[in-house]
Amino acid sequence: MERGLQSTRAKKWNKRFNLQAYFLLCSFYFLLLTFPAQAARLQSWRLSPTQNQLEFSTDDGVQPKAQLLSDPTRLVIDLPGVTFGRPQVTENYSGAVRSIRVGQFDRGTTRIVVEYAPGYTVDPSRIQFQGRAANQWAVQLPTPTFSGGGAAPITPPPVTQPPIAQPPISQLPPPATGRTFIQSLQPTGDGFFLRTTGGTPTVRSIRSTDRRQMIIDIFNSSISPSLVQRDLPVNVNGVSRAQITQFDANTVRLTLTLPITSGNWNASASPSGGLIVLPQTVVGTPGTSQPPAGQTAIVQSVELDANRQLVIRGNQPLSYTAGWDRATSSYRVLIRSARTDANFRGPQLPAGSPLIQARVRQDGNDVAILLTPASGVQFGEIVQNSPQQLTLPLRRGLFPVVPPTTPTPIPTPTPVPVPPRPTPTPVPRPPVPNGRLVVVIDPGHGGPDPGAVGIGGIQEKEIVLDISRRVQANLERSGVTVVMTRNADIDLDLQPRVDIAQRANATIFVSIHANAISLSRPDISGLETYYFQSGLELARTIHRNVLQGTGIEDRGVRSARFFVLRRTSMPSVLVEVGFVTGRNDAARLSDSAYRQRMADSIARGVLDYLGRR
């Protein structure tokens, strides 16, 4: 009888639970209707079990849908029209909240699941959703209660790192003044860069006793909600994984998984802000050489040879690391344990040089050579011709600047009939504007992020990089200074793109992307141009010129809250040059001559706008 009474009570509770959840979610959905639906990407999420709060944000407006499930209790939040762009991420916790899972539920929906440990429930009437903006949401969760019958389960101990040799308390660094916030974790050519805001960070580096992990603790710090990449599988100087966690209320921990035979790593403050994490010694990895013990080399010259390769000479054997440096947005060659001679002169770059800029500076006990490539130039592997000389090959990239009739290596899509289009009427070139003008061109995606993949396997990152390089060449011929956020197939987060534009004090910012929809909709093609606030006139001008110069279908000029448009202070636009999933656009974008017309039209629109400022 007692068991039957418990069963009856459970059924009544479940019925009440479901009715409350239904009315709550109906009210929540009504609230959501006030926000516009736009395609977006999930930018960040953060669950605080101690504060019972979930926060998430996208780069554009979104209409979430939520449901509360039982056995076990789960809060499920679906974000329609939002892409996640990576494998499912699971974060495990101890206590009432067991885990949070984030992944791509279907082609057009990202799902966030907060799962509670067995036996725990929450009162659905006390869940509060706060729409701070169309793209920023906070969910206040009630304190979970245990209702599984019998004694409450024992909270499992938190997962711990391998034993770490801890120094005495007296050796710990003093707390920093002003809290540090970790904004992003990014691999570089030879290590890692942590972008920070707030106070100057104080750090401690420790090797685990099994030597399989390097622990770098950042004191008086917190992880920013905008930090997305917290667990990176990488291949940087032997490091196979980099994981960043909030170790306790005042400490952020960076854990590097590495071979037991590798050397230790250290973190130091970057002159441009943030933390640079580099190995103390480099052990036989590509792109590096072994530092000689106790020697200081003198870098005697850095110059282009007759074949326009960069040659670095020293007075004794040179050790080095090389790779893209996110902190400076340059390719960096770091000469270890070195200095420049008092009479040292920087490299002279002749007209037509494969390098736009080459800077040599003292970076602590090392010499840093920072290089910015010209349009279409990529860096090869450094060759150590002799212990005292390094040669860096400079070669044309995947999409060289070539005459329009020369085919490019973009995979040819499956042949599809393309309706004939009238030849666009030639548009006269606008007059070259006067004054110092800086245009930042931002090719979307790159590196491991291909962007949209369309008919025949064409990739957005390759299409937009080629068009961007052609826009750059076009504008530079007209006397405009152009800064590229990326000039090679590298991964670049959104905030560094904004930072590049801000540091350059750019006149305008133009981000170039290619659109996509389901491959089952090849009928959809056309040009879309987006702006935010001050970018309306720039968007209209570029859009009009591209329509006239290419004959592409017109899908309009629209306002959007894309991250790179909202965070830049100058007039900014995002141009979607066509749909890689559209039969018309895919065939055109695969053609070099058409990409040249697209680039010429974008450049013409930029010059038209600048000439009327």
Side-chain angles (χ1 to χ4, degrees):
M1 179 176 177
E2 182 179 351
R3 180 177 300 175
L5 181 61
Q6 289 179 346
S7 176
T8 301
R9 288 176 177 172
K11 290 178 180 178
K12 288 183 178 179
W13 189 92
N14 284 334
K15 183 176 180 180
R16 176 174 173 269
F17 179 93
N18 291 332
L19 285 173
Q20 287 178 326
Y22 173 78
F23 287 116
L24 166 72
L25 298 174
C26 286
S27 302
F28 176 48
Y29 185 72
F30 177 78
L31 171 66
L32 297 176
L33 293 178
T34 63
F35 292 94
Q38 296 185 19
R41 288 179 181 268
L42 180 63
Q43 282 191 312
S44 66
W45 72 91
R46 179 175 182 268
L47 175 68
S48 174
T50 57
Q51 298 179 357
N52 290 316
Q53 188 175 72
L54 170 67
E55 299 175 340
F56 59 89
S57 64
T58 59
D59 63 0
D60 206 348
V62 65
Q63 294 181 358
K65 297 180 180 179
Q67 56 183 316
L68 197 61
L69 306 178
S70 57
D71 298 325
T73 303
R74 286 155 291 158
L75 174 64
V76 178
I77 301 175
D78 285 337
L79 309 179
V82 174
T83 57
F84 187 51
R86 70 193 73 170
Q88 176 177 298
V89 175
T90 301
E91 297 177 356
N92 296 315
Y93 301 88
S94 60
V97 175
R98 183 163 68 178
S99 68
I100 178 172
R101 300 190 299 275
V102 184
Q104 198 73 41
F105 175 65
D106 57 31
R107 183 182 294 271
T109 305
T110 294
R111 170 166 286 185
I112 302 175
V113 178
V114 179
E115 181 171 333
Y116 290 85
Y120 280 95
T121 59
V122 292
D123 183 350
S125 65
R126 296 177 60 195
I127 299 176
Q128 299 179 2
F129 289 84
Q130 303 168 358
R132 297 172 177 172
N135 68 322
Q136 295 181 354
W137 292 85
V139 184
Q140 187 63 53
L141 306 171
T143 302
T145 58
F146 184 76
S147 59
I154 299 174
T155 301
V159 178
T160 59
Q161 301 281 356
I164 300 171
Q166 299 282 0
I169 296 297
S170 60
Q171 296 180 15
L172 295 181
T177 57
R179 196 168 188 83
T180 302
F181 295 92
I182 310 300
Q183 301 289 340
S184 66
L185 168 64
Q186 301 163 339
T188 63
D190 52 356
F192 299 89
F193 177 68
L194 281 80
R195 187 170 61 84
T196 66
T197 57
T200 302
T202 300
V203 299
R204 176 186 64 186
S205 300
I206 314 169
R207 189 67 175 259
S208 63
T209 55
D210 64 1
R211 295 192 56 80
R212 296 184 183 277
Q213 291 181 327
M214 194 74 212
I215 310 299
I216 298 175
D217 286 334
I218 306 165
F219 297 100
N220 195 26
S221 64
S222 298
I223 295 177
S224 169
S226 64
L227 192 152
V228 177
Q229 295 274 16
R230 303 190 186 196
D231 193 345
L232 298 174
V234 293
N235 182 18
V236 178
N237 278 344
V239 175
S240 60
R241 183 182 182 190
Q243 185 178 29
I244 192 163
T245 56
Q246 189 73 48
F247 181 67
D248 58 32
N250 295 309
T251 307
V252 171
R253 171 164 289 182
L254 173 64
T255 304
L256 306 179
T257 302
L258 66 172
I260 60 175
T261 57
S262 65
N264 292 337
W265 288 60
N266 276 335
S268 59
S270 167
S272 59
L275 281 173
I276 298 175
V277 183
L278 295 171
Q280 288 180 329
T281 58
V282 183
V283 183
T285 57
T288 68
S289 67
Q290 184 72 23
Q295 298 182 17
T296 299
I298 296 177
V299 177
Q300 297 173 317
S301 66
V302 178
E303 58 189 3
L304 293 174
D305 65 8
N307 296 320
R308 299 203 169 183
Q309 309 300 295
L310 191 73
V311 179
I312 305 167
R313 296 185 178 88
N315 69 332
Q316 61 187 40
L318 301 177
S319 64
Y320 69 95
T321 60
W324 285 96
D325 179 29
R326 302 295 179 85
T328 60
S329 299
S330 303
Y331 189 83
R332 182 180 67 165
V333 181
L334 192 69
I335 310 299
R336 300 284 193 181
S337 301
R339 61 181 176 85
T340 56
D341 190 280
N343 298 321
F344 177 84
R345 293 181 58 190
Q348 303 299 308
L349 303 180
S353 166
L355 296 174
I356 294 177
Q357 189 178 51
R359 293 169 291 161
V360 181
R361 71 184 188 193
Q362 195 71 37
D363 193 350
N365 294 324
D366 308 322
V367 171
I369 304 169
L370 304 174
L371 309 171
T372 303
S375 176
V377 173
Q378 290 188 355
F379 298 104
E381 294 290 337
I382 289 181
V383 178
Q384 192 147 15
N385 310 88
S386 69
Q388 298 173 226
Q389 178 175 312
L390 308 175
T391 300
L392 175 61
L394 306 173
R395 61 172 185 262
R396 292 292 173 180
L398 180 62
F399 287 100
V401 179
V402 294
T405 55
T406 303
T408 64
I410 299 178
T412 303
T414 304
V416 291
V418 179
R421 302 190 62 81
T423 302
T425 304
V427 181
R429 188 180 188 85
V432 178
N434 297 320
R436 182 183 181 276
L437 301 171
V438 178
V439 175
V440 171
I441 302 296
D442 173 42
H445 307 280
D449 176 15
V453 179
I455 297 174
I458 59 174
Q459 296 186 1
E460 178 182 4
K461 68 173 184 177
E462 297 179 348
I463 294 289
V464 300
L465 179 57
D466 182 44
I467 291 175
S468 298
R469 285 171 170 170
R470 296 171 188 253
V471 173
Q472 176 190 18
N474 199 317
L475 292 176
E476 287 178 344
R477 286 196 296 269
S478 297
V480 176
T481 300
V482 177
V483 175
M484 298 277 282
T485 59
R486 70 176 182 96
N487 210 343
D489 186 21
I490 62 170
D491 182 23
L492 194 63
D493 208 349
L494 295 176
Q495 185 62 50
R497 298 172 190 261
V498 173
D499 294 342
I500 290 170
Q502 297 298 115
R503 287 199 301 267
N505 193 24
T507 310
I508 61 173
F509 175 92
V510 180
S511 188
I512 299 179
H513 287 252
N515 225 328
I517 199 170
S518 171
L519 286 168
S520 63
R521 296 296 307 275
D523 55 304
I524 297 179
S525 292
L527 172 74
E528 296 177 352
T529 307
Y530 293 89
Y531 71 94
F532 182 71
Q533 293 183 345
S534 64
L536 175 58
E537 186 56 35
L538 174 61
R540 287 174 173 171
T541 305
I542 292 177
H543 193 85
R544 180 177 64 251
N545 276 272
V546 173
L547 292 177
Q548 293 174 348
T550 65
I552 189 174
E553 289 87 347
D554 183 3
R555 290 179 58 87
V557 175
R558 309 177 185 184
S559 173
R561 295 176 55 82
F562 293 128
F563 186 91
V564 294
L565 302 185
R566 289 186 290 111
R567 297 300 181 91
T568 44
S569 59
M570 68 290 304
S572 303
V573 299
L574 188 147
V575 183
E576 298 275 8
V577 297
F579 283 75
V580 294
T581 52
R583 67 168 62 93
N584 292 349
D585 285 349
R588 296 175 189 142
L589 292 171
S590 298
D591 177 62
S592 176
Y594 180 82
R595 292 197 305 275
Q596 187 64 54
R597 289 204 304 274
M598 176 64 70
D600 291 344
S601 301
I602 294 173
R604 188 183 300 112
V606 169
L607 293 172
D608 189 1
Y609 173 83
L610 295 176
R612 293 186 283 108
R613 289 179 69 251

